[in-house]
C-alpha cells in the first residue's frame, strides 16, 4: 500500500477530528490524517503491523501457520485517527485509551464512520506522570499486552513536564514489538539517550515532520503554527523486562 492510498483512506475524517471541548491542560490538538498516514506507513514498511491470516495461507518462508494479526494500543487516542490508520494498513484490533470521555465519543463516531466499530475497544483512563511500571502508571493492562503502541503524547509544556516521557515509558512497557511516538524535535537528543542508555532499547527517528497547531485556544494569536516533531520508533523486543519500566 502506498502512502497516498493511506492518506486517501483517512481523508473522510478530516472534518471530524476536532476535540468538542479542547482542554489546554491536556494539550489537546487534533492529529492530522497526513501525520497519521506517515506513521502507519512507517509501521507497515518496518513490518511492525502484520495482517491476520489463516493456517491455510503460507508464511513468508513457504510454510503454513496462523497469525491473529497485530493488536494495537492507541495511547491517548484523542479523536481516533492513529488507531484507525493502523487498521487501514492491517492491524486486527485497536484498544483506544484516553482520559477524556468527550474525545472518546468522537473517536467512537470516527470508527463507525470508517465501518471499523467491531475492531476497536474503548478504555477511559489517565497515564500517570508519577508512577512507573505495571500497576503504577495508570494504564490497566499487563506488560506486553499489545503488538504495537501508537501515541501522540502531550509535549509537557502546560505544567506537566515529563508527561511525554511517561507516555513513552508506558508505551514501551505495553508493546511486544514496537512503539511509534511523536515528540518535539528539540527533545531528540535527550529522549534517544534515555531510551537507549537507561531503558536498554533500540530507538531511531524514522521521520522529521511538522505538526500544525491551529488557533483553537483564546491565547493563540496566529492562525496556526508549525511545530517541528520527530516520529520516533522504539523496538521493544529486548532491553529490560516490560520495556522502559526503569
Amino acid at each position: 500500500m502506498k502512502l497516498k492510498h493511506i492518506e486517501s483512506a483517512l481523508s473522510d475524517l478530516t472534518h471530524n477530528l476536532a476535540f468538542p471541548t479542547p482542554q489546554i491542560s491536556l494539550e489537546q490538538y487534533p492529529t492530522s490524517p497526513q501525520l497519521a498516514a506517515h506513521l502507519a506507513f512507517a509501521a507497515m514498511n518496518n513490518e511492525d503491523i502484520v495482517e491476520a491470516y489463516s493456517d491455510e495461507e503460507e508464511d513468508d518462508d513457504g510454510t503454513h501457520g496462523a497469525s491473529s494479526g497485530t493488536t494495537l494500543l492507541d495511547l491517548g487516542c484523542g479523536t481516533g485517527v492513529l488507531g484507525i490508520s493502523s487498521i487501514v494498513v492491517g492491524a486486527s484490533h485497536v484498544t483506544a485509551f484516553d482520559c477524556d470521555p468527550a474525545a472518546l465519543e468522537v473517536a467512537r463516531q470516527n470508527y463507525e464512520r470508517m465501518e471499523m466499530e467491531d475492531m476497536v475497544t474503548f478504555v477511559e483512563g489517565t497515564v500517570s506522570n508519577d508512577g512507573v511500571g505495571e500497576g503504577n502508571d495508570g494504564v490497566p493492562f499487563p506488560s506486553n499486552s499489545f503488538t504495537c503502541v501508537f501515541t501522540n503524547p502531550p509535549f509537557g509544556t502546560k505544567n506537566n513536564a515529563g508527561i511525554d516521557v511517561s507516555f513513552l515509558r508506558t508505551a514501551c512497557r505495553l508493546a511486544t514489538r514496537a512503539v511509534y511516538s511523536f515528540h518535539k524535535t528539540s527533545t531528540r537528543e535527550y529522549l534517544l539517550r534515555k531510551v537507549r542508555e537507561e531503558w536498554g532499547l533500540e530507538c531511531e527517528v524514522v521521520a522529521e515532520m511538522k505538526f500544525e497547531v491551529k488557533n483553537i485556544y483564546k491565547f493563540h494569536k496566529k492562525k496556526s503554527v508549525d511545530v517541528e516533531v520527530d516520529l520516533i520508533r522504539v523496538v521493544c523486543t529486548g532491553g529490560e523486562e516490560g520495556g522502559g519500566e526503569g
Side-chain angles (χ1 to χ4, degrees), residues 10 14 28 37 79 87-88 103 120 123 127-128 152 155 157 172 182 195 213 218 246:
L10 298 176
T14 301
Q28 289 181 323
T79 52
I87 294 177
V88 170
V120 61
V123 178
V127 176
S128 172
N152 182 15
F155 292 148
T157 60
C172 291
F182 289 106
V195 173
V213 176
K218 290 182 179 179

Side-chain angles (χ1 to χ4, degrees), residues 17-235:
L17 291 175
F19 290 89
T21 52
Q23 302 178 55
I24 187 57
S25 62
L26 300 177
E27 298 185 48
Q28 289 181 323
Y29 297 97
T31 303
S32 71
Q34 291 74 27
L35 284 178
H38 277 83
L39 190 160
F41 186 69
M44 179 187 67
N45 281 346
N46 284 313
E47 299 184 344
D48 291 324
I49 291 182
V50 179
E51 292 190 68
Y53 58 88
S54 70
D55 57 8
E56 297 178 356
E57 299 177 64
E58 288 188 351
D59 291 331
D60 290 340
D61 60 4
T63 61
H64 290 270
S67 170
S68 58
T70 298
T71 57
L72 183 122
L73 173 65
D74 186 354
L75 186 62
C77 68
T79 52
V81 67
L82 294 186
I84 289 171
S85 75
S86 76
I87 294 177
V88 170
V89 298
S92 56
H93 189 271
V94 170
T95 298
F97 182 92
D98 203 277
C99 67
D100 182 4
L104 286 172
E105 178 55 33
V106 177
R108 189 186 309 275
Q109 295 170 12
N110 283 329
Y111 276 89
E112 291 175 354
R113 181 189 296 263
M114 298 293 288
E115 299 183 349
M116 296 174 176
E117 62 268 28
D118 294 334
M119 304 175 73
V120 61
T121 300
F122 297 97
V123 178
E124 184 179 342
T126 302
V127 176
S128 172
N129 203 14
D130 300 314
V132 177
E134 185 175 335
N136 298 308
D137 56 20
V139 182
F141 307 116
S143 297
N144 306 316
S145 288
F146 305 92
T147 313
C148 292
V149 179
F150 287 1
T151 184
N152 182 15
F155 292 148
T157 60
K158 299 299 176 185
N159 300 315
N160 56 351
I163 190 65
D164 54 335
V165 178
S166 295
F167 264 74
L168 185 60
R169 179 179 57 204
T170 299
C172 291
R173 175 178 76 78
L174 294 167
T176 61
R177 183 171 177 87
V179 169
Y180 288 81
S181 185
F182 289 106
H183 295 271
K184 291 180 71 174
T185 300
S186 60
T187 67
R188 178 189 298 174
E189 184 177 344
Y190 167 76
L191 274 177
L192 294 183
R193 183 174 65 249
K194 191 171 191 66
V195 173
R196 291 167 177 166
E197 297 180 7
E198 296 185 23
W199 301 350
L201 299 173
E202 295 181 29
C203 183
E204 63 177 334
V205 176
V206 295
E208 299 177 10
M209 310 180 73
K210 292 186 184 298
F211 188 101
E212 183 183 12
V213 176
K214 295 185 177 181
N215 185 335
I216 60 174
Y217 295 108
K218 290 182 179 179
F219 63 87
H220 285 154
K221 296 181 179 179
K222 297 181 179 180
K223 185 176 180 180
S224 67
V225 174
D226 286 336
V227 178
E228 293 184 349
V229 297
D230 290 341
L231 174 58
I232 291 178
R233 174 179 182 253
V234 182
V235 179

